Amino acid sequence: MKKWMVLCLILVSAMGMMVSSQAGNTQMKTTMARGKLVYDRYCLTCHQADGGGVPRMNPPITNTEYVLGNKQRLIGIVLNGLNIPLEINGEEYENPMASHAFLKDGQIADVLTYIRNSFGNKASAVTVAEVKSARAKNK
Ligand code: HEC
C-alpha cells in the first residue's frame, strides 16, 4: 500500500514537472515571437534580418560581448543609444545609435531576449523587472 502511494507521488510530481516545463517553453516562444515583432520594426533596418549588421556602418549583433554580456549595459544601449567608437570582428563602427527609450519595458525585455537567443546567440532572457530597474537608475 505504501509503495503504491510513493509511486503515485512520484508519477504526479513527474507529470507536474513536465507540464511546468512545457509552460516555460510556451512562454519563451511567445516572448520570442513578440521580440521578433519589435526587432523587425525598430532594429532590423540597421542590424539586418540576420543580425549581421552593415560593415563599417551598423555593427553585427551576433556573438558580441554587448549582446551576450552584462544585461544592464545591454538595456542601457537601448535606453540611451550608444555613441562610442566600436571595433567588432576587426571592423570599426563610429555611427551613433539613437535612444529607443520610447519602447515600453515589456518591448525592451522581449526584443533583448529575442536578440540574445537568435542569430546563433544563446543567453539568458531579459526580464521586465531588469528593464524597470535599469530605467529607474537612468533617471
Ligand atoms: C539607425 C540604425 C540603428 C537602429 C535602428 C538600431 N541600432 Fe543598434 N547600433 C547602431 C549603431 C550605429 C551602433 C554602434 C554605436 C556606436 O558605435 O556607438 C549600434 C550598436 C548596438 C549594440 C551594441 C554593439 C553590438 O553590435 O553588439 C546593440 C546590442 C544594438 N545596437 C542593439 C540594437 C537594438 C536591440 C535595436 C532595436 C531596438 C537597435 N540596436 C536599433 C545602429 C542602430
Side-chain angles (χ1 to χ4, degrees):
M1 190 66 185
K2 271 194 184 151
K3 257 191 193 160
W4 278 110
M5 278 167 72
V6 171
L7 271 177
C8 275
L9 271 179
I10 291 172
L11 208 72
V12 165
S13 67
M15 273 161 59
M17 266 161 21
M18 272 160 62
V19 169
S20 73
S21 95
Q22 258 175 3
N25 281 344
T26 315
Q27 202 182 9
M28 186 62 177
K29 272 194 195 141
T30 319
T31 304
M32 289 291 282
R34 282 195 314 247
K36 184 179 189 310
L37 288 180
V38 179
Y39 183 82
D40 288 357
R41 177 142 180 217
Y42 297 106
C43 322
L44 181 146
T45 40
C46 294
H47 293 289
Q48 303 294 297
D50 64 354
V54 180
R56 306 188 66 84
M57 280 183 67
N58 307 311
I61 48 170
T62 51
N63 200 18
T64 75
E65 55 168 305
Y66 299 95
V67 176
L68 298 176
N70 185 291
K71 292 199 244 180
Q72 292 293 312
R73 175 174 68 181
L74 178 59
I75 297 165
I77 293 175
V78 175
L79 289 177
N80 306 317
L82 195 64
N83 193 3
I84 52 164
L86 294 181
E87 199 193 307
I88 295 182
N89 299 339
E91 297 277 5
E92 283 173 26
Y93 296 91
E94 298 195 350
N95 286 349
M97 172 175 148
S99 155
H100 287 67
F102 59 85
L103 292 172
K104 296 195 178 89
D105 293 347
Q107 289 179 301
I108 294 177
D110 289 343
V111 75
L112 293 181
T113 299
Y114 173 73
I115 67 170
R116 278 163 68 89
N117 291 282
S118 300
F119 325 124
N121 294 335
K122 190 94 200 98
S124 61
V126 172
T127 65
V128 176
E130 286 165 335
V131 176
K132 271 200 171 64
S133 102
R135 215 191 275 269
K137 277 182 211 144
N138 259 296
K139 275 180 187 153

